[in-house]
Amino acid sequence: MTRAAPPKRHLAAEIAAAIRSGDYRAGEWLRQVDLEESLGATRFDIRAALAELALRQTVEHVPNRGFRVAQPDRQRLRDMLAVRVLLECEAALGALPRLDEAALRLLERKADAFDHAVADGTTTSQSATNLDFHDTLYGFAPNRALVEVAVEIRDRARLWPLVLWPSVRALRRSAEGHRDILAALRSGDPARVAQSVRAHILGSAANDPDLEKLVQD
Amino acid sequence: MTRAAPPKRHLAAEIAAAIRSGDYRAGEWLRQVDLEESLGATRFDIRAALAELALRQTVEHVPNRGFRVAQPDRQRLRDMLAVRVLLECEAALGALPRLDEAALRLLERKADAFDHAVADGTTTSQSATNLDFHDTLYGFAPNRALVEVAVEIRDRARLWPLVLWPSVRALRRSAEGHRDILAALRSGDPARVAQSVRAHILGSAANDPDLEKLVQD
DNA sequence: GGCGCAATAATTGGCGCCATTACGCTACGC
DNA sequence: GCGTAGCGTAATGGCGCCAATTATTGCGCC
């Protein structure tokens, strides 16, 4: 056999990453021929991946026209943030009683990793370490289904604000948010945990001036 | 043209309905040839529909083996119910301040329709009128994204308990649940609304003896 | 010179075929 | 008589081609 055989790729994730990195702008049409060439995949797989992204509302599908990057209005973005707050707060609260000293230490290391990525790291490493912190925290929650839904909704809403991310100020604020959450978790106060998670999520959209005031609602 | 041309069918929903009606049991393999014959669709569309259901975790996909109906364990069912409570309570609470007298009248008519379906109706009409009541209520919530997620998660979790539905006792309890929710909405008390919605959702799984005690947690 | 229409070109999307893979049966050996 | 290995069969799934639909460009007309 000439090739080692590419075992399996998740093309939908690759396309989503391409959108996230700015290769395609909101509202732009995604031509299947371009994707099949740039990703080196067959048209069949491209279509399956696009259908998957359409189901996740990452892209919009217009019959006989094609797929284009979804462009949510401000109201919808606000609404999605509220849903994220609801789900992720619940996940964090579920994790709270299950956190022992070792778990808190682990979370601190994850927070450190994000700090380092903010200081000197690529956008992708910043994103990865950030997600790692949250996933680790939610991983302690007993309700597995809740965590899955929370992560799914987060990733669904994550596409658009991330384009605006490279603001150093927002990154520093995000790092501080992790510390706030850790402090709240150590205090053991559920209300404080919920508040810190809420502020952190809403703050992630705060680099957009129009969304800034959402934090104070 | 010989045929009026079937414009477009949502095959995934039809397959889900077939599973719901009991044509396929949990864990059973879904052969593509059978579906393509029974639904009168092409293999291509069947595969797309199955992929969609796999993404919604309605069916499980095993490479080179096929698709089979997912069979969640009790713990996962419990977890999904908790997520539903979280989302649907929030949606109901969001709708609460927006309900005027006309809206409450409308909801009462929807509740009446469900009562009639319970008294003399098919399982599908019972299911439809029940969903209609909830969708109407949530439709008043200002957060559109929240409602969409809530409905999506509900439909995702709805498959399995519904097989157990035809219990008349559970249906009557469900009808009473609607009345409780309406009374709570009329009282305007958020805590009471949340409690009634919570009890109604948890009660929907109460015809399973093993799940009965979940209501009192 | 501008607008509308039609022909052309490009892109999407439906569908069938064939290779790959897993399962079940049978035959052989111990 | 039982276990195992090999083969036959049937199902999955990957891929390419062709029809349907739409955007675009050029031409004719007002």
Side-chain angles (χ1 to χ4, degrees):
Chain A
M1 50 189 79
T2 54
R3 298 221 169 181
K8 47 186 172 184
R9 303 164 55 184
H10 203 195
L11 282 173
E14 295 186 37
I15 296 175
I19 295 173
R20 219 173 294 141
S21 69
D23 293 354
Y24 301 95
R25 292 171 184 269
E28 187 176 345
W29 288 100
L30 267 53
R31 276 181 302 172
Q32 295 178 5
V33 277
D34 288 354
L35 291 171
E36 116 185 65
E37 190 171 359
S38 63
L39 294 177
T42 69
R43 170 168 302 226
F44 185 88
D45 295 319
I46 294 291
R47 277 182 51 188
L50 285 173
E52 182 179 335
L53 291 177
L55 220 71
R56 293 186 189 168
Q57 302 180 354
T58 302
V59 299
E60 184 191 6
H61 177 53
V62 181
N64 293 330
R65 286 289 302 277
F67 298 82
R68 68 176 148 191
V69 183
Q71 41 183 357
D73 52 282
R74 299 241 171 272
Q75 182 59 42
R76 182 165 191 86
L77 234 152
R78 203 196 95 103
D79 289 352
M80 288 295 279
L81 278 178
V83 178
R84 282 191 57 190
V85 166
L86 185 70
L87 291 168
E88 299 191 38
C89 275
E90 189 73 10
L93 288 175
L96 179 57
R98 300 206 160 197
L99 295 174
D100 54 8
E101 183 56 32
L104 288 168
R105 295 265 181 186
L106 178 65
L107 284 170
E108 266 161 15
R109 282 203 300 278
K110 303 286 189 184
D112 291 341
F114 179 69
D115 287 350
H116 295 150
V118 169
D120 54 304
T122 65
T123 308
T124 50
S125 78
Q126 288 161 3
S127 176
T129 49
N130 180 40
L131 292 182
D132 191 29
F133 173 82
H134 290 277
D135 289 344
T136 304
L137 171 58
Y138 303 150
F140 287 99
N143 190 331
R144 305 299 310 159
L146 170 65
V147 175
E148 286 172 25
V149 172
V151 168
E152 185 180 330
I153 298 301
R154 178 193 62 187
D155 290 342
R156 190 181 293 184
R158 195 161 55 96
L159 282 244
W160 312 297
L162 209 91
V163 190
L164 314 165
W165 252 54
S167 151
V168 182
R169 181 156 161 256
L171 286 170
R172 292 228 172 274
R173 180 157 24 175
S174 200
E176 285 171 21
H178 292 168
R179 301 300 173 182
D180 285 344
I181 292 173
L182 275 171
L185 290 171
R186 279 207 183 273
S187 78
D189 178 16
R192 196 175 154 194
V193 169
Q195 182 51 36
S196 64
V197 171
R198 173 189 177 81
H200 179 60
I201 293 173
L202 293 180
S204 72
N207 27 354
D208 185 336
D210 286 1
L211 292 174
E212 191 97 34
K213 53 191 161 206
L214 291 182
V215 187
Q216 308 113 15
D217 62 357
Chain B
M1 49 191 81
T2 55
R3 298 220 168 185
K8 47 188 173 186
R9 304 164 55 185
H10 203 197
L11 282 172
E14 294 186 36
I15 296 175
I19 296 173
R20 219 173 293 142
S21 69
D23 293 354
Y24 301 95
R25 292 171 184 269
E28 186 175 347
W29 289 101
L30 266 52
R31 276 181 301 172
Q32 294 179 6
V33 278
D34 289 354
L35 291 171
E36 112 185 70
E37 191 170 1
S38 64
L39 294 177
T42 70
R43 170 170 300 232
F44 185 88
D45 296 320
I46 294 290
R47 278 181 50 188
L50 285 173
E52 183 179 334
L53 290 176
L55 220 71
R56 293 187 188 168
Q57 301 180 355
T58 302
V59 300
E60 184 190 6
H61 177 53
V62 181
N64 293 330
R65 286 290 302 277
F67 298 82
R68 68 176 146 189
V69 183
Q71 42 183 357
D73 52 285
R74 300 239 172 274
Q75 181 60 42
R76 183 165 189 85
L77 234 151
R78 203 196 94 103
D79 289 351
M80 288 295 278
L81 278 178
V83 179
R84 282 191 57 191
V85 167
L86 185 70
L87 290 168
E88 299 191 37
C89 276
E90 188 73 9
L93 289 175
L96 178 57
R98 299 206 161 198
L99 295 174
D100 54 10
E101 182 57 32
L104 288 167
R105 295 266 179 183
L106 177 64
L107 284 170
E108 266 162 13
R109 283 204 299 277
K110 303 286 188 183
D112 291 342
F114 179 69
D115 287 350
H116 294 150
V118 169
D120 55 303
T122 66
T123 307
T124 49
S125 78
Q126 287 161 4
S127 176
T129 49
N130 181 40
L131 292 182
D132 191 29
F133 173 82
H134 290 277
D135 289 344
T136 303
L137 171 57
Y138 303 150
F140 287 100
N143 191 331
R144 306 299 311 156
L146 170 65
V147 174
E148 286 172 26
V149 172
V151 168
E152 184 180 332
I153 298 300
R154 178 193 64 188
D155 290 343
R156 191 182 292 183
R158 196 160 55 97
L159 283 241
W160 313 296
L162 209 92
V163 189
L164 314 165
W165 251 55
S167 152
V168 182
R169 182 156 159 258
L171 286 171
R172 292 225 172 276
R173 182 160 21 176
S174 200
E176 287 171 21
H178 291 169
R179 300 301 174 182
D180 285 344
I181 292 172
L182 274 172
L185 290 171
R186 278 206 182 276
S187 78
D189 178 16
R192 196 176 154 193
V193 169
Q195 181 53 36
S196 63
V197 171
R198 173 189 176 83
H200 179 61
I201 294 173
L202 293 178
S204 72
N207 27 353
D208 185 337
D210 287 1
L211 292 175
E212 191 96 37
K213 54 191 159 207
L214 291 182
V215 186
Q216 308 112 17
D217 60 359

